[in-house]
Amino acid sequence: MLRNIKNIGRRNIECQLIYLLFSFSVGIAGMCTYQLNPVAVDKGGFLRYDIDLVNERGLLVCAILSIMAYLLITVVDKGAHQTNVATMKPYNENRVFWSTFIIYSFLLGILLALYFPGTGMNDTINCLMGFWQNTLQPAMFQMIIYGIFQGIFFMCKNATIAYAIIVILQIFAASYIVANYLRWIARKGIAKWLLILNMIYIMAMPLIGNYTIALLKDTWFTYAFFLLLPNIYDLIHGEKACWWQIVVAVFVVWFSRSNGKLVLVPIMILLFIFCKSQRKHLAILLITLVVLNSGLDYAKNVRFGGYDESFRESMSVPLVQMAATVVWNGNISEDEEEVLYAVLPEEKWRQNYAFAFVDPIKFDEHFDNLYLAAHKKEFLQTWASMLKKNLTIYVKAYLYHTYGNWSLAAYNTNAVDKTQSIFLKLNNNTGDTSIWGEYLASISLKNDSLLPNGLTKLLQGFYEDACEWNLWLTPGIMFLLLNLCTCIAWKNKRYKLMLTFLPLYLCWGCMMVASPASMIYRYSFYILLSLPFVLTMTWRDIGYK
């Protein structure tokens, strides 16, 4: 009896520690948000702000939000145990799948007609302009888009139709993945009302539809990621998974975005450790991916003569921290200046430093990428030596750069880059007089709604407003919900469920260390689409007996 009392006491202490960990993390994020939000809103003049993260008001905000977060996790955890989200009544799984597939395809079809032949950005247009144009975008994504577009264009001599066909194929793939997910949660015994809520979330969320008709690597990555999550859950829980889905999803995740391999390698290693019966399949798959990746790297070196921009792309955080040190006149030695100004002249460091956006620095015409690629070790040593002397500036610059990934502030028009967050045309983030706009004009590729003009204006106005409202569900809020579910799973010893969420944390971690910007919503599409999975499976598994 005494042992039971001790166990209960120990369990209560563990529970409280988990609750407090979540609460304090929300409080700290809230305090930093409170202090930095004025800077984010006025990002054009952010340099004139002198931020003091820890002061009386900040600590008060931290305390209030910590208390609110503690109450939130307590209530949600208790409610998850008291609400039954399971059903013993079997579903007609084929009916769930096909009804979802047809409805979602139909809704996306209407959206495509409104913005025919689909939307995109300069990265997309680069893929159309030539075969494997640069090392910035994943090679596989570039080659597939170019090959399909040019093939259809050659046959029908109509660039608009060619582009539309690719988007239609993307819509069908997305509809299959969403229908497959709803069929999967129906198989898990989710109550009908919660199944319908999942369907409504995905189909009614404006930005999910917006990105689904946009030809972006983020769209491919996210839907493949969403196809993979249920299969990871099944593998970890020792249930039957669909291996052809795993293979397709893993290949697309790996080759559609530069951080794909960084997400997959740790996951596949963990699966190899925990899923003993699947080790052979996992080993073959991982070896195949590594071999193909090595082959592509070799081909890239041959094609571009060894010129590679991948190191520069991975150095977003160090670049903004070093730029901030220059701008705020930090402690920089002559040897450090020699390396720093060999990469980019001093005046350009000062001129191009921006809030939560590194592209003005790394795409400046004076940026010497050849020098950077040839002196990686010296550059990293310089960054590290400057860190020791300018820690406060480095921390401040890091918080500025990653603000959009963790901020709990509401959406603000001045803070978010809408040209890469809401996609309304083919060259969404560039003008008609840019090289991308001129290329589209040269092949007569432009947006032209298939609906009547009056109806088009009405629906486009309504839809664009809805997309802006969707931005209120910020990446920081979604990450808070992920943390909430993870802590509840932890408290209830659902460790396998926590492992299922690991890919989401790895994606977020990649954005925190290497993302070029944090106020661009498309980078967080993966968590927007995956959120129903996280909430539903947490609710289901906590109440599962």
Side-chain angles (χ1 to χ4, degrees):
M1 186 178 195
L2 184 60
R3 182 180 298 174
N4 289 336
I5 293 173
K6 287 182 178 179
N7 288 336
I8 292 171
R10 188 183 299 114
R11 185 65 191 138
N12 286 334
I13 292 173
E14 290 176 1
C15 170
Q16 294 304 314
L17 287 174
I18 293 169
Y19 282 4
L20 289 173
L21 177 63
F22 172 76
S23 303
F24 285 138
S25 68
V26 173
I28 292 170
M31 178 181 70
C32 293
T33 300
Y34 174 78
Q35 304 289 22
L36 267 64
N37 189 58
V39 187
V41 173
D42 186 24
K43 61 183 181 181
F46 78 102
L47 289 175
R48 66 171 176 260
Y49 289 84
D50 184 17
I51 298 299
D52 180 16
L53 284 176
V54 182
N55 54 32
E56 290 183 1
R57 285 192 176 185
L59 291 173
L60 179 61
V61 170
C62 180
I64 293 172
L65 287 179
S66 295
I67 294 170
M68 293 175 64
Y70 184 87
L71 294 174
L72 173 66
I73 192 171
T74 303
V75 171
V76 171
D77 185 30
K78 185 177 180 180
H81 285 90
Q82 294 178 345
T83 308
N84 182 23
V85 298
T87 180
M88 299 300 293
K89 186 178 179 181
Y91 285 95
N92 183 333
E93 293 179 14
N94 284 333
R95 183 179 179 183
V96 171
F97 176 87
W98 285 110
S99 59
T100 303
F101 183 87
I102 292 170
I103 294 171
Y104 195 46
S105 297
F106 175 75
L107 292 175
L108 291 172
I110 294 175
L111 198 56
L112 176 61
L114 191 61
Y115 294 97
F116 192 82
T119 58
M121 57 182 291
N122 63 332
D123 289 349
T124 313
I125 302 168
N126 279 332
C127 297
L128 308 181
M129 292 170 70
F131 178 80
W132 201 352
Q133 287 273 74
N134 56 59
T135 62
L136 284 172
Q137 302 301 317
M140 196 70 75
F141 179 76
Q142 293 186 64
M143 290 187 283
I144 291 173
I145 295 298
Y146 176 83
I148 296 177
F149 176 80
Q150 294 296 337
I152 300 173
F153 189 24
F154 175 79
M155 289 186 290
C156 68
K157 307 301 181 185
N158 189 313
T160 302
I161 295 301
Y163 196 92
I165 288 175
I166 299 176
V167 176
I168 290 170
L169 292 174
Q170 182 170 282
I171 286 173
F172 284 145
S175 297
Y176 171 85
I177 291 168
V178 169
N180 177 76
Y181 164 70
L182 290 171
R183 177 174 59 185
W184 181 80
I185 62 171
R187 191 178 300 146
K188 298 299 179 186
I190 296 298
K192 187 176 182 179
W193 62 269
L194 188 53
L195 184 73
I196 293 172
L197 280 180
N198 272 264
M199 184 183 294
I200 291 173
Y201 174 96
I202 294 173
M203 295 186 181
M205 193 67 72
L207 285 178
I208 292 180
N210 184 260
Y211 293 156
T212 307
I213 65 162
L215 202 52
L216 307 169
K217 61 182 179 181
D218 307 274
T219 302
W220 289 29
F221 176 90
T222 295
Y223 273 104
F225 188 87
F226 193 53
L227 179 64
L228 187 59
L229 280 178
N231 286 291
I232 291 177
Y233 179 97
D234 284 340
L235 285 174
I236 291 174
H237 287 78
E239 300 175 22
K240 185 179 180 181
C242 181
W243 269 97
W244 78 262
Q245 290 182 3
I246 293 173
V247 171
V248 171
V250 162
F251 270 81
V252 176
V253 169
W254 186 291
F255 291 110
S256 64
R257 211 158 78 173
S258 56
N259 68 327
K261 59 180 73 69
L262 300 177
V263 173
L264 285 176
V265 170
I267 293 299
M268 296 184 75
I269 291 173
L270 282 174
L271 290 175
F272 186 85
I273 294 171
F274 289 104
C275 306
K276 295 181 180 180
S277 62
Q278 304 294 340
R279 285 180 175 175
K280 181 179 178 181
H281 296 91
L282 290 166
I284 292 173
L285 182 56
L286 182 56
I287 291 170
T288 303
L289 288 167
V290 171
V291 170
L292 283 175
N293 190 76
S294 300
L296 277 175
D297 284 345
Y298 176 78
K300 180 171 69 175
N301 288 331
V302 172
R303 180 171 178 80
F304 296 99
Y307 181 77
D308 189 7
E309 296 163 300
S310 59
F311 182 74
R312 181 187 67 184
E313 293 303 301
S314 66
M315 289 292 105
S316 294
V317 169
L319 285 171
V320 295
Q321 289 174 324
M322 296 165 92
T325 306
V326 173
V327 169
W328 285 317
N329 300 312
N331 189 345
I332 309 174
S333 69
E334 291 184 3
D335 289 340
E336 291 164 348
E337 286 182 342
E338 183 179 346
V339 174
L340 201 58
Y341 301 148
V343 174
L344 188 67
E346 179 182 358
E347 64 274 13
K348 295 300 180 180
W349 283 107
R350 295 182 180 277
Q351 177 183 326
N352 294 323
Y353 179 48
F355 183 87
F357 196 40
V358 74
D359 282 8
I361 294 173
K362 67 184 185 182
F363 289 128
D364 187 281
E365 61 179 348
H366 298 93
F367 192 99
D368 194 340
N369 187 59
L370 291 175
Y371 176 88
L372 179 65
H375 298 82
K376 296 175 184 177
K377 183 179 178 180
E378 293 89 335
F379 179 82
L380 291 173
Q381 288 174 340
T382 301
W383 171 80
S385 65
M386 289 172 61
L387 166 64
K388 298 174 185 177
K389 299 176 292 183
N390 302 280
L391 181 59
T392 302
I393 293 177
Y394 268 46
V395 171
K396 185 177 176 180
Y398 180 74
L399 291 174
Y400 278 10
H401 188 67
T402 60
Y403 175 82
N405 297 330
W406 51 263
S407 165
L408 302 182
Y411 159 72
N412 186 285
T413 304
N414 296 325
V416 176
D417 180 2
K418 287 201 293 183
T419 67
Q420 294 192 60
S421 297
I422 302 174
F423 292 85
L424 305 174
K425 57 182 182 178
L426 288 159
N427 56 333
N428 199 69
N429 64 328
T430 60
D432 293 336
T433 57
S434 65
I435 58 171
W436 300 283
E438 290 175 353
Y439 173 76
L440 293 178
S442 71
I443 59 173
S444 301
L445 179 54
K446 62 179 181 177
N447 291 103
D448 189 11
S449 173
L450 300 181
L451 304 179
N453 290 336
L455 184 59
T456 294
K457 290 182 180 179
L458 177 66
L459 292 179
Q460 285 184 349
F462 173 78
Y463 181 70
E464 289 162 23
D465 287 342
C467 285
E468 287 211 25
W469 279 104
N470 196 160
L471 293 174
W472 284 78
L473 183 58
T474 63
I477 295 297
M478 291 188 287
F479 187 67
L480 183 150
L481 293 173
L482 172 61
N483 285 339
L484 174 66
C485 291
T486 302
C487 287
I488 290 175
W490 184 10
K491 180 257 179 183
N492 290 277
K493 297 185 176 181
R494 297 298 193 267
Y495 303 124
K496 291 181 178 180
L497 181 62
M498 292 173 65
L499 282 177
T500 307
F501 297 158
L502 182 59
L504 291 157
Y505 281 101
L506 291 171
C507 282
W508 186 81
C510 288
M511 293 202 305
M512 289 293 286
V513 299
S515 176
S518 63
M519 306 302 290
I520 293 176
Y521 202 88
R522 68 180 173 93
Y523 293 147
S524 298
F525 184 30
Y526 74 95
I527 196 169
L528 177 69
L529 186 59
S530 303
L531 200 56
F533 170 87
V534 172
L535 297 171
T536 299
M537 296 315 295
T538 301
W539 204 348
R540 184 252 188 194
D541 283 15
I542 297 308
Y544 186 74
K545 306 297 182 183

